[in-house]
Amino acid sequence: MQAAIIEINLNKQLVAYNDTASKLFSPDFLKLNQPFDYHHIFNLDVNDDFVKQDDTIIVLNAQYFLLQQITESSKTIFILQPIEYLKKRLSKISVVGSHAFDIFATQSQAMQKLIAQAKAFSIQREPLLISGETGTGKDLLANACHQYSPRGDQTFLGLNCAAMPDDVVESELYGHAAGAYPGAVESKKGFFEQANGGSVLLDGIDEMSFQMQTKLLRFINDGYFRRVGDDDEVYVDVRIICATKVDLALLVEQGKFRKDLYYRLNVLSLNLPSLQERKDDITTLTNIFVNEFANKQGITPPTIDNEVLDYLSRYSWPGNVRQLKNVLYSALAQLTTKVLTVKDIVLPMPAVSQLLWVENIENKTLDEMTKQFEKEILLRLYDKYPSSRKLAKRLGVSHTAIANKLRDYGIGR
């Protein structure tokens, strides 16, 4: 290991050390079961209250080291890492950051356009707003944007605001002072302080109360906030990333979301396409999930039958990428052969909503509304009956009639 590790007990006697420590210090300093004067050995001021410090920089043998201390009930552990070594590690992290978006399948034009936007927006300081249906991967995109940004080597934290009481959200984000709540014996740093210099994801921002929205707006504007139960202001440098599965503009119109906060957040916005809009990515995603499952199980990935990809591409995927992953994992968990076939995959048939066919009917004629409903029915049934002959038999009409309708509506191959 590059790090020197030294352990002492409650009596400040040396208990253990690793090989790196033995090469760094004189044998006179490293005597087991003997007092270990760390102030002298680490060149610290005797009056330095090191116990309360998270870390400090020291000089040993003309080298800079990061000195960290971990105190437990029965022992204290010192960790010394060379600064030059840490710099090299950080440079590798920046290289990883340049590949932050490689986790996404980008065969579709919709995803190619999105990733290009995300890279451009990631390097900015303004808040980032990510929208998309459930299961599209908003949290993954937020994390990738953080990793790609100049803050990529700093902390990234995420909080799901959905259905959380105000006092919990406030305490989690801003922290609290000692005595702020019954039982709050010690002060606590919130997410914003913990992620100082990094990024914080607020998922489900649409469900944040007006009171919390007001406090968030002030923080975004100047970077200052107060811990709960504390009068002192704290300043941090944190980039806010918000995620939502609903249209915030519509909530603003309905009076359910602050207009000023919406316009503050909507400076840089990314909209994740649904899987229905990026079906060219299904083949790549399928291969990724099959290989991922096999790696976790320590088995050879099964061969994917060509009909599987065609079958998956015809499905509507209301649960998006998450649903695709779950369906494949379920099939692979029960697979007893070396080939994944259509018979191994179970796709739930979504119920035809009574409201779907009456959406967007304003200014439409009866004929137009009838065709809209007819198209919806054919789209839903085509997943289960993927040919004009099978579908015609299911609906009790001629093959020619169904073939013409599928062609008119652009359904099928």
Side-chain angles (χ1 to χ4, degrees):
M1 293 182 65
Q2 293 288 334
I5 302 177
I6 297 171
E7 178 184 334
I8 63 175
N9 59 21
L10 288 175
N11 297 321
K12 297 185 178 180
Q13 294 175 323
L14 184 64
V15 176
Y17 57 89
N18 68 350
D19 289 340
T20 306
S22 66
K23 296 173 183 177
L24 185 62
F25 297 100
S26 165
D28 295 335
F29 294 148
L30 300 177
K31 294 181 179 180
L32 294 176
N33 301 317
Q34 296 297 314
F36 185 80
D37 186 1
Y38 62 86
H39 283 98
H40 173 64
I41 296 171
F42 297 152
N43 295 324
L44 295 172
D45 189 325
V46 177
N47 298 319
D48 186 2
D49 191 3
F50 181 66
V51 174
K52 293 185 178 180
Q53 294 185 10
D54 293 329
D55 48 53
T56 189
I57 304 297
I58 64 172
V59 180
L60 293 173
N61 303 333
Q63 272 188 293
Y64 286 99
F65 288 84
L66 176 69
L67 175 60
Q68 297 171 291
Q69 174 182 308
I70 302 173
T71 301
E72 299 180 358
S73 58
S74 61
K75 61 186 176 182
T76 297
I77 298 174
F78 297 103
I79 303 173
L80 296 91
Q81 300 183 76
I83 296 296
E84 289 302 317
Y85 167 70
L86 292 176
K87 286 182 178 178
K88 291 178 182 178
R89 291 291 299 273
L90 288 175
S91 67
K92 290 182 179 179
I93 291 175
S94 65
V95 171
V96 172
S98 66
H99 296 277
F101 294 99
D102 290 356
I103 62 172
F104 295 96
T106 56
Q107 275 62 46
S108 66
Q109 290 186 356
M111 282 302 290
Q112 290 173 16
K113 180 180 178 181
L114 173 74
I115 297 304
Q117 280 185 311
K119 287 181 176 180
F121 292 170
S122 294
I123 60 177
Q124 306 301 319
R125 297 176 58 89
E126 292 295 316
L128 185 61
L129 178 61
I130 299 175
S131 59
E133 296 177 6
T134 298
T136 51
K138 296 184 289 295
D139 54 339
L140 292 177
L141 182 61
N143 197 0
C145 287
H146 166 76
Q147 294 293 337
Y148 191 81
S149 75
R151 303 168 181 265
D153 59 344
Q154 301 296 316
T155 303
F156 174 81
L157 295 176
L159 179 70
N160 191 333
C161 305
M164 290 185 73
D166 280 3
D167 56 342
V168 176
V169 173
E170 189 172 19
S171 178
E172 289 296 321
L173 291 180
Y174 304 102
H176 62 253
Y181 302 108
V185 180
E186 298 180 350
S187 63
K188 170 193 170 184
K189 289 183 178 180
F191 276 27
F192 291 147
E193 280 188 89
Q194 294 176 45
N196 190 14
S199 308
V200 170
L201 167 65
L202 303 178
D203 198 2
I205 188 67
D206 49 282
E207 297 198 35
M208 182 176 278
S209 72
F210 263 76
Q211 181 181 350
M212 290 296 100
Q213 289 177 35
T214 302
K215 193 162 187 175
L216 176 62
L217 178 61
R218 188 218 164 184
F219 171 68
I220 291 176
N221 285 334
D222 59 23
Y224 285 93
F225 66 91
R226 290 187 180 92
R227 294 177 182 171
V228 178
D230 198 344
D231 294 330
D232 297 330
E233 288 199 326
V234 179
Y235 174 80
V236 293
D237 174 23
V238 170
R239 189 185 193 187
I240 301 297
I241 304 177
C242 295
T244 177
K245 62 183 179 182
V246 301
D247 186 353
L248 288 185
L250 182 59
L251 293 185
V252 171
E253 290 181 9
Q254 296 172 347
K256 297 178 180 179
F257 198 85
R258 286 189 63 119
K259 182 183 293 186
D260 47 4
L261 178 58
Y262 169 69
Y263 286 117
R264 190 69 180 86
L265 295 176
N266 200 35
V267 178
L268 305 174
S269 59
L270 298 170
N271 181 51
L272 264 166
S274 65
L275 192 53
Q276 181 77 15
E277 299 171 289
R278 48 176 297 209
K279 286 199 169 183
D280 289 345
D281 294 325
I282 288 180
T283 297
T284 303
L285 289 168
T286 300
N287 285 307
I288 289 174
F289 294 145
V290 168
N291 288 327
E292 182 181 286
F293 178 87
N295 289 336
K296 287 182 178 178
Q297 300 300 318
I299 60 176
T300 302
T303 302
I304 303 174
D305 189 271
N306 288 332
E307 291 186 3
V308 168
L309 300 174
D310 187 43
Y311 180 58
L312 295 177
S313 296
R314 291 196 302 267
Y315 189 64
S316 57
W317 299 111
N320 294 295
V321 178
R322 185 187 297 138
Q323 184 188 10
L324 172 63
K325 181 177 182 178
N326 292 342
V327 165
L328 289 172
Y329 267 42
S330 176
L332 293 168
Q334 304 172 69
L335 190 65
T336 57
T337 64
K338 295 182 179 180
V339 180
L340 181 66
T341 67
V342 171
K343 294 180 180 179
D344 302 311
I345 297 174
V346 178
L347 294 178
M349 285 298 297
V352 179
S353 170
Q354 295 179 349
L355 297 178
L356 275 174
W357 70 278
V358 295
E359 289 180 352
N360 304 318
I361 62 173
E362 188 175 356
N363 298 323
K364 287 187 177 180
T365 64
L366 178 61
D367 183 55
E368 289 172 333
M369 287 188 282
T370 303
K371 288 181 178 179
Q372 183 176 324
F373 177 63
E374 185 177 61
K375 180 180 179 180
E376 182 65 35
I377 292 294
L378 294 175
L379 276 170
R380 296 299 180 102
L381 290 178
Y382 193 79
D383 286 330
K384 192 172 183 179
Y385 305 95
S387 75
S388 54
R389 292 188 182 279
K390 292 179 181 179
L391 191 53
K393 184 177 179 181
R394 162 65 180 82
L395 294 174
V397 295
S398 70
H399 163 252
T400 303
I402 288 296
N404 290 336
K405 289 183 182 295
L406 292 176
R407 184 183 65 251
D408 293 342
Y409 295 132
I411 302 173
R413 298 181 181 177

